[in-house]
């Protein structure tokens, strides 16, 4: 059963048209900011004392974080620190051992399935692989959430899909299959699909990984422009420091299951913390040692010689 | 020595617990799938698409295998019966063997090898490429859109395929017995008409194939959904589908035969 009623579907269409023409066709400077309803908090995602483990391995150990309703928030950290896991916890795909994750005032892990799915309609997520449905064309992939959750007629769906694809520069690739596209193009299509229902937030999981400089540049500017055009919350998980910090309004660096530093990109670049300095500037040695813990080399060599 | 023995017992215990956990997960999964099948009422197109993929595309292997099995059955029956002057019973022997046993069992084994492994690989690959996660994040339940149509299609397709297998097998036997070996066409067809019982033979064969279809498709979709999303995990899951389905089919065949044909 579609969750979005026909009236709501019409609202989505109007909103998209208004935003699209405001942001992509008319004056670039003209935007229509979404007015904050009375009593609505500035914080969209509130994470408190989050604990999560995989087997014996602790991923999060009392992590707390606030993500504002508007702007780009970067979550950075070395590989394996649980950045993608954090997005899955925010999206309700994983359940924490303890702690709370609230999105728009709703405790994600206490919601019944139907309410959780309703909440997810207001979230968009861009997966690292794009996660496009391989048996559907680009057009059908972008149309998929609209067909599932609205009762829009075919002509309206076509208009919406073409507008979304045009926003990511791939209107001309509408009839291509995902297998015919490069990784960068697949991510742009996935981005068009993520904004299909005009979500209040978009989560980006490692959007720049494995991209050539041109594709990376395209994705960086797309994320930035879409965020300012749509006036939404963008959460970018990445370890590509320069690209991410260039568009982020604020950033959190996580390591060892906790947030070790938060602030604006400038404040993180000038941080006095040795750890943050090593991560942001990519120093090969520092608090995170170059060598994986091991016995002294002479001891190892001597034993091998024996 | 004692430590090694204790370790082995510990491993055995861990493996047993792991197996029961998996069985529990598979049972809960089955319950979810069956509840999700209700959604097919509003989306019949999904079911039709899967019926084509699971049923129609398996048809070739079923028809070819059925034809040869029937032909071989006719030859073997003829060589065994001709010494006793009972070669006219080839038709009824082949018909009963196919309808009661070979039709449902061989079809199920072929189905597990062709369609079951394909279902596991498809769902497993969707998991590995985050397509299932992507659907969840689009507020679309993959159980309803991906798993349920495939499960229902397998359940519906199996008895149809088994019936086609038996029918083609009997035609194959006719070609060998009547056209090649020169048996009388009238006795080839009339004996099965007298001896094959609608309830005891035909219906029981269909019930068997329904059970096999249920189990083989359940194993296939569960293995795909539960697989470790790596190339190695996917390979293991596909192998498990074929092995577990085949063993389950043969075991259930014994149980069902004992229940159905007990005197």
């Amino acid at each position: 059963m579609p969750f979005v009623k026909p009236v709501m579907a019409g609202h989505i269409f109007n909103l998209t048209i208004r935003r699209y023409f405001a942001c992509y066709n008319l004056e670039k400077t003209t935007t229509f900011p979404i007015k904050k309803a009375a009593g609505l908090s500035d914080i969209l995602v509130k994470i408190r004392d989050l604990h999560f483990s995989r087997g014996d391995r602790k991923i999060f150990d009392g992590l707390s974080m606030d993500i504002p309703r508007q702007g780009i928030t970067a979550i950075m950290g070395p590989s394996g620190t649980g950045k993608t896991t954090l997005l899955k916890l925010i999206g309700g795909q994983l359940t924490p051992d303890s702690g709370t994750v609230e999105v728009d005032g709703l405790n994600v892990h206490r919601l019944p399935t139907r309410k959780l799915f309703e909440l997810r309609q207001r979230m968009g997520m861009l997966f690292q692989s794009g996660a496009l449905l391989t048996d559907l064309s680009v057009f059908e992939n972008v149309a998929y959430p609209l067909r599932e959750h609205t009762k829009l007629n075919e002509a309206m769906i076509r208009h919406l899909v073409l507008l979304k694809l045009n926003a990511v520069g791939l209107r001309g690739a509408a009839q291509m299959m995902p297998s015919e596209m490069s990784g960068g193009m697949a991510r742009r299509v996935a981005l068009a699909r993520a904004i299909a229902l005009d979500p209040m937030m978009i989560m980006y999981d490692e959007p720049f990984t494995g991209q050539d400089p041109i594709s990376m540049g395209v994705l960086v500017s797309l994320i930035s422009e879409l965020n300012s055009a749509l006036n939404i919350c963008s959460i970018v998980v990445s370890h590509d420091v320069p690209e991410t910090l260039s568009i982020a309004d604020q950033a959190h660096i996580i390591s060892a299951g906790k947030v070790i530093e938060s602030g604006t990109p400038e404040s993180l670049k000038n941080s006095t913390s040795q750890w943050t300095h090593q991560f942001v500037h990519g120093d090969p040695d520092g608090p995170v040692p170059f060598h994986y813990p091991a016995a002294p080399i002479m001891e190892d060599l001597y034993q091998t010689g024996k | 020595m004692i430590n090694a023995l204790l370790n082995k017992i510990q491993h055995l215990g861990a493996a047993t617990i792991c197996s029961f956990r998996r069985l529990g997960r598979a049972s809960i999964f089955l319950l979810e799938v069956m509840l999700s099948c209700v959604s097919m009422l509003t989306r019949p197109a999904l079911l039709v698409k899967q019926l084509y993929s699971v049923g129609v595309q398996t048809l070739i292997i079923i028809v070819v295998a059925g034809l040869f099995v029937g032909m071989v059955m006719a030859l073997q029956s003829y060589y065994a019966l001709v010494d006793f002057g009972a070669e006219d019973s080839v038709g009824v022997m082949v018909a009963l063997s196919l309808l009661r046993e070979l039709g449902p069992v061989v079809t199920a084994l072929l189905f597990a090898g062709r369609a079951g492994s394909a279902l596991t690989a498809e769902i497993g690959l969707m998991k590995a490429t985050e397509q299932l996660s992507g659907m969840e994040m689009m507020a679309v339940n993959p159980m309803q859109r991906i798993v349920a149509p495939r499960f229902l299609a397998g359940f519906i397709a199996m008895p149809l395929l088994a019936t086609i297998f038996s029918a083609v097998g009997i035609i194959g036997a006719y070609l060998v017995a009547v056209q090649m070996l020169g048996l009388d066409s009238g006795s080839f067809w009339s004996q099965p008409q007298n001896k094959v019982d609608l309830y005891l033979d035909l219906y029981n064969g269909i019930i068997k194939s329904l059970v096999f279809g249920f189990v083989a498709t359940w194993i296939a979709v569960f293995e795909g959904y539960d697989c470790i999303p790596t190339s190695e995990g996917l390979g293991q899951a596909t192998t498990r589908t074929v092995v577990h389905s085949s063993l389950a089919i043969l075991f259930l065949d014994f149980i069902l035969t004992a229940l159905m044909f007990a005197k």
Side-chain angles (χ1 to χ4, degrees), chain A residues 3 88 91 93 117 120-121 123 125 127-129 131-135 144-145 147-149 193 203, chain B residues 42-43 49 122 126 128-142 144-146 150:
Chain A
F3 298 121
K88 289 193 171 179
Q93 288 187 292
F117 274 33
R120 281 182 186 162
Q121 284 181 41
M123 295 175 172
M125 180 148 175
F127 287 85
Q128 195 173 342
S129 60
L132 297 176
L133 299 168
T134 46
D135 58 336
Y144 191 79
R147 292 195 202 285
E148 286 289 329
H149 299 303
R193 188 178 69 178
M203 296 184 278
Chain B
T42 54
R43 304 271 178 140
K49 191 179 171 193
E122 188 184 12
M126 288 183 87
T129 53
E130 296 182 308
Q131 291 180 54
L132 298 182
S133 288
M135 290 180 94
E136 281 177 7
M137 284 310 296
M138 283 190 283
V140 176
N141 189 346
Q144 291 177 358
R145 295 291 178 271
I146 301 295
R150 284 161 176 78

Side-chain angles (χ1 to χ4, degrees), chain A:
Chain A
M1 280 289 288
F3 298 121
V4 180
K5 304 288 179 291
V7 179
M8 183 70 181
H11 169 72
I12 288 173
F13 184 73
N14 291 335
L15 197 65
T16 303
I17 293 285
R18 196 178 65 148
R19 283 168 165 176
Y20 175 81
F21 283 109
C23 313
Y24 300 104
N25 254 11
L26 303 176
E27 298 163 54
K28 276 237 165 186
T29 49
T30 313
T31 56
F32 292 82
I34 300 166
K35 282 182 187 163
K36 201 174 74 176
L40 216 56
S41 162
D42 281 338
I43 303 299
L44 183 66
V45 181
K46 191 188 279 185
I47 301 170
R48 290 290 176 273
D49 197 26
L50 189 72
H51 290 259
F52 182 78
S53 306
R54 281 189 194 275
D56 295 333
R57 191 171 158 240
K58 227 170 179 30
I59 309 286
F60 296 121
D61 187 14
L63 181 134
S64 296
M65 186 185 284
D66 285 333
I67 297 173
R69 192 169 286 276
Q70 287 171 358
I72 299 176
T73 301
I75 298 171
M76 297 190 293
S79 299
T81 45
K83 302 186 292 296
T84 302
T85 304
L86 185 59
L87 291 188
K88 289 193 171 179
L89 284 160
I90 294 172
Q93 288 187 292
L94 295 173
T95 308
D97 301 334
S98 65
T100 58
V101 177
E102 283 183 18
V103 176
D104 202 22
L106 300 167
N107 187 335
V108 174
H109 302 101
R110 295 255 170 160
L111 290 174
T113 309
R114 191 180 172 80
K115 291 279 177 195
L116 178 63
F117 274 33
E118 281 176 7
L119 180 64
R120 281 182 186 162
Q121 284 181 41
R122 297 192 287 142
M123 295 175 172
M125 180 148 175
L126 181 74
F127 287 85
Q128 195 173 342
S129 60
L132 297 176
L133 299 168
T134 46
D135 58 336
L136 300 180
S137 67
V138 165
F139 181 94
E140 288 301 327
N141 260 288
V142 181
Y144 191 79
L146 295 166
R147 292 195 202 285
E148 286 289 329
H149 299 303
T150 71
K151 289 183 176 172
L152 294 171
N153 63 38
E154 200 50 41
M156 216 179 248
I157 285 179
R158 185 173 178 277
H159 285 148
L160 276 175
V161 171
L162 292 179
L163 289 177
K164 304 290 180 189
L165 282 172
N166 202 51
V168 297
L170 289 176
R171 185 165 45 83
Q175 296 313 317
M176 283 173 78
M177 294 301 286
S179 57
E180 298 171 309
M181 313 189 84
S182 67
M185 285 169 83
R187 276 180 219 186
R188 283 155 68 188
V189 175
L191 184 52
R193 188 178 69 178
I195 58 171
L197 290 173
D198 284 310
M200 63 181 172
M201 64 185 278
I202 304 177
M203 296 184 278
Y204 299 88
D205 183 12
E206 302 281 7
F208 313 122
T209 304
Q211 298 299 304
D212 64 70
I214 298 173
S215 299
M216 193 182 275
V218 168
L219 283 167
V220 168
S221 69
L222 261 179
I223 292 171
S224 173
E225 282 174 18
L226 276 176
N227 186 78
S228 56
L230 305 176
N231 262 326
I232 55 172
C233 165
S234 296
I235 304 171
V236 182
V237 150
S238 178
H239 49 215
D240 294 291
V241 177
E243 290 78 16
T244 310
L245 289 186
S246 71
I247 53 169
D249 296 307
Q250 65 154 345
H252 300 280
I253 297 181
I254 56 175
S255 181
K258 288 184 174 168
V259 176
I260 57 162
E261 195 154 353
S262 300
T264 62
E266 280 312 307
S267 70
L268 290 177
K269 281 176 192 166
N270 301 322
S271 171
T272 51
S273 155
Q274 281 188 320
W275 200 102
T276 305
H277 189 275
Q278 185 188 6
F279 181 76
V280 170
H281 297 278
D283 300 335
D285 211 351
V288 179
F290 172 72
H291 287 289
Y292 193 79
I297 187 167
M298 289 311 289
E299 203 175 291
D300 261 358
L301 292 174
Y302 181 64
Q303 279 180 356
T304 311
K306 265 185 177 177

Side-chain angles (χ1 to χ4, degrees), chain B residues 100-114:
Chain B
R100 285 184 175 189
E101 284 299 325
L102 290 174
V105 173
V106 178
T107 304
L109 293 175
L110 291 171
F111 180 88
R114 192 269 162 206

